[in-house]
Amino acid sequence: GTDYVNTLTKLCPTWMCPVLFVTAFVFGILGALIGLACCKKHFAKAYKLAPSTQHLAQLAFVQFKANDFEGAEDSYQKLCTKSPDSLTFRYNYAVCLYETKKYTQAIAILLPIVQQNPKSAAMAHRLALCFEAIGQIKNAALIYEKIIKLGKVPAEIYLDYAHLLVFDADYPKAENILKKLLILLIISLK
């Protein structure tokens, strides 16, 4: 046992630990980026060779994760044509439209999705963000109010709603929303 410790100490002195940690972290990120690029290339090639919904869905997912929203938008649009009843494909397509600043198109897709799924805070939140982006503050505020009535809403939604109210100069309401958020955060810490 002591021979092993002595050998390891000679090979890896104490000063080398931070260097090793930083190097491992940097190369881990680099490896992930290279892997993502390879996956994207692999699924694009697979879809060209055998154009199936599964290959296209995998390609769209990898493009989405790589923040290639233009490519993912194109892939999800094709998927929505092939599988118009797929909620996941339609929602992800709408998110890609939002990320590429095509808010009106995203709203057209999100409205029926939110109507079909009235308890989904995430989907309604994305719709509110789209309305806010095109300046329809009142529509966004109505959606935020519906989301908050659902209960157990992420803090981010309260913050976005308060920000919207401040932008609309409704300071008393923004203060109330932030107070509710503060109470919820205190309760969650107990």
Side-chain angles (χ1 to χ4, degrees):
T2 45
D3 290 340
Y4 175 75
V5 172
N6 291 336
T7 306
L8 193 60
T9 306
K10 286 179 186 176
L11 291 174
C12 186
T14 310
W15 63 266
M16 198 170 177
C17 289
V19 174
L20 189 61
F21 176 76
V22 170
T23 306
F25 184 76
V26 168
F27 282 103
I29 290 175
L30 184 64
L33 293 173
I34 291 169
L36 195 58
C38 289
C39 277
K40 201 163 96 173
K41 204 181 289 186
H42 167 76
F43 288 124
K45 187 185 251 184
Y47 179 68
K48 284 180 185 175
L49 292 174
S52 70
T53 303
Q54 182 182 5
H55 288 140
L56 187 57
Q58 290 167 336
L59 174 61
F61 179 75
V62 170
Q63 289 168 325
F64 189 86
K65 288 295 182 186
N67 293 333
D68 176 12
F69 295 112
E70 290 86 9
E73 176 189 334
D74 182 52
S75 297
Y76 278 118
Q77 184 178 26
K78 290 175 186 172
L79 285 166
C80 288
T81 304
K82 291 181 177 194
S83 305
D85 294 333
S86 172
L87 177 68
T88 304
F89 293 159
R90 289 185 296 142
Y91 179 70
N92 288 347
Y93 178 45
V95 172
C96 290
L97 290 169
Y98 172 82
E99 293 294 337
T100 56
K101 300 183 182 346
K102 298 174 185 168
Y103 306 116
T104 308
Q105 289 175 276
I107 289 170
I109 294 168
L110 286 169
L111 274 172
I113 290 174
V114 169
Q115 287 171 348
Q116 290 173 341
N117 302 281
K119 293 184 180 180
S120 173
M123 292 176 179
H125 184 217
R126 183 67 64 174
L127 180 60
L129 290 172
C130 288
F131 276 124
E132 185 178 352
I134 63 170
Q136 292 188 13
I137 305 302
K138 299 297 179 199
N139 285 338
L142 287 171
I143 293 168
Y144 278 122
E145 288 171 13
K146 288 179 184 177
I147 295 171
I148 289 173
K149 286 180 185 174
L150 292 174
K152 292 197 176 183
V153 178
E156 176 188 6
I157 292 176
Y158 281 96
L159 288 173
D160 286 348
Y161 184 33
H163 179 263
L164 178 81
L165 293 169
V166 168
F167 180 76
D168 199 32
D170 192 348
Y171 303 113
K173 202 169 191 177
E175 183 181 4
N176 286 336
I177 293 297
L178 289 173
K179 283 179 182 177
K180 285 181 185 177
L181 175 61
L182 187 60
I183 290 168
L184 291 172
L185 290 174
I186 290 170
I187 291 170
S188 71
L189 291 175
K190 290 183 179 182

